[in-house]
Amino acid sequence: MKTRAWFQVVIRIDERYQDLLIGLLVCIGFTGFVQEDKLLKCILPKQKWDRDFKNKFEITLAKFKIEFPSLDLSYSGLILHEENWNKKWENQTGIVEAAPNIIIKPSWKKLPKRHSKKLVLHIDPKMSFGTGHHETTRLSLSLLERFLEPQMKVLDFGTGTGVLGIACIKLGAESVFAIDIDEWAIENAKENLKRNDVQKRMIVRLGSISIIPRRNFDLIVANIDFYTISRFISSLTSRTRNQGIIVLSGILTSDLPVLLKLFAKNALVPIELITENEWTAVALRRM
Ligand code: SAH
């Protein structure tokens, strides 16, 4: 396995506000988070922490502070070595009841008997996003549970740990084509494919929109962010078959009105909207 040095930023922030900030920090490129009572530890590959990144990070914090002036948000940074990180992660990550019938389980936890009838996703997260601890992953899984039909051909845009694509296969999809722009996510997703024995039906590739084959998918799932959704929605629509489904998550409810207009322009009709805290996920049908 590759080794890598990480940069960790520790932010003073009350637990109630952490998920919202995590959503914004994922968008600028942080890949891992450890949540404590009054501290949020945010991790990214060490080489990504440069002057530009630090600027973006500070602007994000400053905007957050405007919304929530009472928060402290002071931070400190340090270099972290991989062994430390993985140990911490193992201590933090437990079983997640991610959707009504889906459980996410890391390999170091035993499955409690009460979950034995549920669909189990075996996910060891390493440094990628997609452990089920975040609302946006759970919302995506709930919509997949409702809209994934057997034999569908699926595109998983921004696969992270591979969690959503793996869920699709286990829910009966014929095949999943999954992409991510983060090398580390690809490596982690590939390990998780084997762990779930779905590697014959799910392909994972490094890259963005341009590497997606020009074919009509029955269902596309993307748990991404407002900007990426806005940028790629028409390309994603053109890769969805007529009457096919697009499941989008990673949407702050306050951004929804703008996106709804964009969906209408692309002849995408919302068929279900669900929310958890400040996050919304939507299932759309292509007309
Ligand atoms: N699907 C997982 C991970 C979501 S996080 C889950 O639901 O939990 C979003 C992922 O999208 C990250 O791994 C990020 O690297 C990837 N990503 C961001 N922009 C992308 C783009 N333009 N093309 C492909 N992947 C992208």
Side-chain angles (χ1 to χ4, degrees):
M1 194 180 58
K2 269 197 242 164
T3 55
R4 215 177 183 189
W6 305 96
F7 194 77
Q8 174 177 274
V9 183
V10 182
I11 308 171
R12 267 185 195 286
I13 175 169
D14 193 90
E15 207 189 352
R16 281 174 301 156
Y17 297 90
Q18 291 181 3
D19 279 348
L20 185 55
L21 186 60
I22 288 176
L24 303 176
L25 295 177
V26 165
C27 299
I28 65 168
F30 278 98
T31 45
F33 300 90
V34 177
Q35 292 180 266
E36 290 174 9
D37 195 15
K38 300 246 180 295
L39 292 179
L40 174 64
K41 299 178 175 172
C42 315
I43 294 117
L44 81 164
K46 179 173 157 278
Q47 76 276 9
K48 283 199 186 168
W49 179 263
D50 56 14
R51 188 184 296 246
D52 265 7
F53 191 93
K54 186 163 178 262
N55 260 341
K56 265 200 279 183
F57 169 68
E58 287 183 344
I59 291 169
T60 307
L61 279 192
K63 284 190 183 152
F64 205 76
K65 180 104 183 156
I66 293 173
E67 293 271 324
F68 305 103
S70 64
L71 296 179
D72 178 341
L73 300 184
S74 58
Y75 77 90
S76 56
L78 72 136
I79 292 170
L80 197 72
H81 292 285
E82 199 194 351
E83 293 88 339
N84 303 349
W85 163 253
N86 278 342
K87 274 260 164 321
K88 269 194 197 121
W89 190 256
E90 292 194 9
N91 293 335
Q92 292 266 335
T93 309
I95 290 177
V96 179
E97 298 184 36
N101 290 307
I102 301 177
I103 293 293
I104 303 181
K105 187 187 92 60
S107 58
W108 51 85
K109 292 276 180 189
K110 268 182 99 171
L111 187 71
K113 272 214 178 89
R114 67 178 193 283
H115 293 324
S116 57
K117 294 227 166 69
K118 299 223 165 140
L119 189 155
V120 180
L121 308 176
H122 303 273
I123 302 290
D124 282 5
K126 298 275 168 54
M127 280 302 299
S128 316
F129 190 88
T131 58
H133 283 83
H134 201 264
E135 289 93 331
T136 59
T137 307
R138 293 198 295 270
L139 290 171
S140 313
L141 287 168
S142 292
L143 287 178
L144 289 174
E145 210 177 77
R146 283 200 22 70
F147 292 102
L148 197 285
E149 286 170 21
Q151 308 308 319
M152 277 184 157
K153 293 189 180 72
V154 174
L155 169 69
D156 177 4
F157 187 85
T159 195
T161 57
V163 58
L164 303 181
I166 292 170
C168 290
I169 296 286
K170 293 198 170 182
L171 288 165
E174 183 184 293
S175 62
V176 173
F177 188 85
I179 61 163
D180 204 291
I181 45 172
D182 184 279
E183 236 179 90
W184 195 243
I186 296 297
E187 191 171 320
N188 184 211
K190 282 184 179 164
E191 288 170 9
N192 285 324
L193 294 198
K194 286 204 192 117
R195 209 164 264 128
N196 290 275
D197 197 20
V198 298
Q199 66 274 32
K200 289 207 182 96
R201 283 155 65 196
M202 177 163 168
I203 295 173
V204 183
R205 292 272 181 273
L206 180 68
S208 185
I209 199 91
S210 62
I211 65 158
I212 301 172
R214 291 225 156 257
R215 80 163 84 109
N216 286 335
F217 291 94
D218 300 301
L219 183 144
I220 294 183
V221 61
N223 174 15
I224 250 178
D225 59 277
F226 173 79
Y227 297 102
T228 314
I229 292 174
S230 317
R231 191 162 155 220
F232 293 127
I233 193 67
S234 58
S235 312
L236 292 178
T237 306
S238 70
R239 287 167 170 87
T240 312
R241 76 160 159 81
N242 201 7
Q243 300 291 314
I245 304 280
I246 300 185
V247 169
L248 297 175
S249 186
I251 302 168
L252 282 169
T253 305
S254 53
D255 287 334
L256 193 60
V258 179
L259 285 179
L260 287 174
K261 282 188 194 144
L262 206 59
F263 298 153
K265 261 195 202 158
N266 284 278
L268 293 170
V269 176
I271 47 176
E272 183 143 342
L273 272 170
I274 52 173
T275 61
E276 192 180 333
N277 300 325
E278 54 279 89
W279 297 99
T280 292
V282 57
L284 304 152
R285 190 180 295 285
R286 183 189 168 177
M287 294 301 178

